[in-house]
Amino acid sequence: MSFGAFKRKSPYIVGNWKMHKNVRESLVYLDNLAPHLAKSQAEVGLAVPFTALIPVIQKVKEMNLPIHIGAQNMSDYPEGAFTGEVSGEMIYDVGATFVILGHSERRHFFKEDDAYVNRKVKRAIKENLDVILCVGETLEARSENKVKVSLEEELKGSLEGLLEDHFQRICIAYEPIWAIGTGRVAKPEEAEQAHIYIRDTIKAMVGPEVSEHTRILYGGSVKPETAAGLLAQPNIDGLLVGGASLSAQSFGSML
Ligand code: 13P
């Protein structure tokens, strides 16, 4: 099950658990999410901690749940003496189908720059993983009217050297940094404008065919009450949900 391009018609809603939930909590969550998945019109994904990947994927298979399971980060190397790292091959091997790359928390706390993210994106595609690439401006960039420039820079840097075909495996997540975990969600029109910039940038990079079909998700303090308004925008093709995905009830209600 690959996502990415050519599937914009159905919304894609992804939960990013970040560093939350042990194995037991993860499995209980799936039991509670299952009834919501059965009713969902959306395509659904969950990015879980490395330690939960194997049990979660096993249970998803047993319960035959329609959901993609992915990781939240990976190494840019195929293998080697890199203590503490996890390779794309290892992630794919346990049955995960996608990986989130370039999340602002990784860019900020772990000093990942565009060139590093770019190497990871290329590595993920080589390992047959789909990618959710995160981009988003700081509050400072927004207040200085530099949203477009800032998004362009991140997109061009993180996607440098990728060809049209590679975009079949790539979703973009627009996550304005000022909206992540702050309770301050972007207004639907504000987010829509940024999504248009992103689509235009992709168009300039690889042409209209790809840009028309690439899914662009919004992330940053999405709650059940704000999900529908965001999804109603023509260029918002899905959501990347952090805090509100931690409860199966609240995540399920968005589906
Ligand atoms: P919050 O929904 O908690 O703001 O997190 C968003 C996010 O970073 C998803 O990747």
Side-chain angles (χ1 to χ4, degrees):
M1 267 200 307
S2 183
F3 60 70
F6 310 117
K7 290 170 81 182
R8 273 186 69 198
K9 285 203 172 72
S10 61
Y12 187 38
I13 303 186
V14 182
N16 174 10
W17 283 355
K18 308 191 180 184
M19 199 172 72
H20 294 281
K21 297 195 190 295
N22 61 25
V23 170
R24 186 187 51 77
E25 291 162 341
S26 305
L27 298 180
V28 170
Y29 181 99
L30 289 181
D31 284 327
N32 294 332
L33 189 67
H36 297 280
L37 285 173
K39 286 185 282 177
S40 172
Q41 306 272 321
E43 193 172 339
V44 184
L46 265 187
V48 307
F50 289 130
T51 47
L53 279 173
I54 293 175
V56 162
I57 289 166
Q58 259 170 10
K59 185 155 173 135
V60 161
K61 281 191 188 140
E62 274 161 30
M63 296 175 76
N64 201 18
L65 299 177
I67 186 167
H68 305 278
I69 302 298
Q72 304 167 13
N73 180 36
M74 55 166 264
S75 170
D76 59 329
Y77 283 96
E79 64 177 347
F82 302 105
T83 302
E85 289 288 86
V86 175
S87 74
E89 194 274 330
M90 292 166 182
I91 294 167
Y92 182 78
D93 178 56
V94 298
T97 55
F98 75 95
V99 60
I100 295 178
L101 294 175
H103 193 282
S104 66
E105 285 150 16
R106 300 234 38 108
R107 291 177 187 265
H108 177 69
F109 296 118
F110 304 99
K111 307 287 176 260
E112 295 192 7
D113 61 11
D114 290 332
Y116 188 27
V117 174
N118 182 239
R119 292 198 297 278
K120 292 188 184 206
V121 173
K122 288 176 174 161
R123 173 56 50 199
I125 291 172
K126 278 205 182 92
E127 303 293 358
N128 295 313
L129 290 167
D130 293 333
V131 172
I132 298 181
L133 171 73
C134 302
V135 294
E137 81 284 357
T138 59
L139 187 57
E140 195 186 7
R142 177 156 285 268
S143 61
E144 291 172 359
N145 277 329
K146 289 189 182 149
V147 177
K148 195 174 176 196
V149 186
S150 159
L151 291 174
E152 265 180 26
E153 190 181 313
E154 274 191 323
L155 285 165
K156 288 185 176 159
S158 306
L159 297 173
E160 201 269 319
L162 293 178
L163 307 174
E164 272 181 51
D165 279 358
H166 297 143
F167 278 78
Q168 301 235 13
R169 289 207 167 269
I170 297 174
C171 273
I172 308 295
Y174 169 60
E175 298 212 308
I177 294 169
W178 47 271
I180 297 178
T182 57
R184 196 180 148 195
V185 63
K187 293 191 194 80
E189 312 73 48
E190 249 172 354
E192 170 70 5
Q193 190 55 55
H195 283 225
I196 292 172
Y197 291 153
I198 292 171
R199 211 174 287 294
D200 284 349
T201 307
I202 294 173
K203 186 173 169 187
M205 290 172 71
V206 276
E209 177 77 10
V210 170
S211 74
E212 262 314 297
H213 290 101
T214 298
R215 270 178 167 161
I216 307 175
L217 319 181
Y218 169 81
S221 293
V222 180
K223 299 282 176 294
E225 313 81 78
T226 49
L230 289 158
L231 286 173
Q233 297 294 321
N235 284 285
I236 301 186
D237 309 313
L239 304 168
L240 183 55
V241 186
S245 76
L246 292 176
S247 135
Q249 178 58 39
S250 99
F251 189 57
S253 72
M254 289 187 214
L255 307 182

